[in-house]
Amino acid sequence: MLMFGPKTVIVALFTISAMASLAAQVHHVVGGDRGWDPDSDLSSWSNQRLFRVGDEIWFTYSAARGLIAELKSREEYEACDVSNPIGMYTDGLHRVPLEREGIRYFVSSDLENCYSGLKLHVEVQPTAMPNYSASSKTLVADGPSSPSGSARCGVGYVPTFMAMFWVAIGLIY
């Protein structure tokens, strides 16, 4: 008969929590290899992705071409009205966590670029648990294969975490 002590339960809960966290989070680099750029087709880029609570979007851009403003309404977004932003990103590389469901609006602070289409709206969907069926070996977000694309940790990491779990159990006993 197996006996599980408090240390075993804590290690097991930690391992399960870490696996769920890794499987659920996607890092979307806005615009893929081109980044936040006037020549990027951000509308096509975003239409090919599913954004979920827990994911992150990463903006890479040249501040010389304008900053990125986050706006609160579709009306401000459509009009490129950056007079009252809820956020302004200024450092050339910015990570935005998607913490709740809803639509988020981002535009270039350079009006010419914004009017030319350098803007992005992201509809954040609820978190979904990954599907571990036999036909789904790994979960990977669509995008470029370079490090600047989107990435999702998938079921390929499960054996590693399970091995870590059993090693931890062995160290405890």
Side-chain angles (χ1 to χ4, degrees):
M1 182 171 165
L2 291 174
M3 297 292 291
F4 295 107
K7 290 181 182 177
T8 304
V9 172
I10 290 171
V11 171
L13 290 174
F14 174 77
T15 303
I16 291 168
S17 173
M19 287 173 23
S21 173
L22 284 174
Q25 191 176 54
V26 177
H27 301 272
H28 303 275
V29 177
V30 175
D33 288 338
R34 296 191 70 98
W36 180 265
D37 183 87
D39 295 327
S40 295
D41 184 358
L42 295 180
S43 179
S44 293
W45 176 86
S46 66
N47 287 337
Q48 297 174 12
R49 282 161 181 71
L50 181 62
F51 302 94
R52 295 201 178 270
V53 172
D55 290 355
E56 295 178 342
I57 54 175
W58 289 71
F59 290 100
T60 58
Y61 56 96
S62 167
R65 290 189 175 166
L67 308 176
I68 298 173
E70 183 171 1
L71 307 176
K72 62 183 166 199
S73 73
R74 183 163 194 88
E75 293 77 22
E76 290 174 329
Y77 173 80
E78 294 294 336
C80 294
D81 179 2
V82 295
S83 62
N84 191 24
I86 59 175
M88 189 67 79
Y89 307 121
T90 61
D91 62 2
L93 176 64
H94 198 84
R95 174 187 65 87
V96 178
L98 303 176
E99 297 168 333
R100 62 187 170 280
E101 295 176 45
I103 300 177
R104 307 229 357 222
Y105 302 98
F106 303 92
V107 300
S108 173
S109 66
D110 179 288
L111 292 181
E112 184 178 324
N113 285 334
C114 183
Y115 290 137
S116 297
L118 189 53
K119 53 186 175 179
L120 173 71
H121 74 277
V122 174
E123 186 171 350
V124 183
Q125 303 295 320
T127 303
M129 292 307 294
N131 179 3
Y132 294 116
S133 68
S135 64
S136 175
K137 301 237 187 302
T138 59
L139 299 173
V140 179
D142 292 334
S145 59
S146 70
S148 64
S150 300
R152 181 186 301 267
C153 295
V155 295
Y157 289 91
V158 172
T160 303
F161 283 108
M162 292 307 293
M164 290 170 46
F165 170 74
W166 290 113
V167 166
I169 296 298
L171 293 174
I172 291 172
Y173 292 102

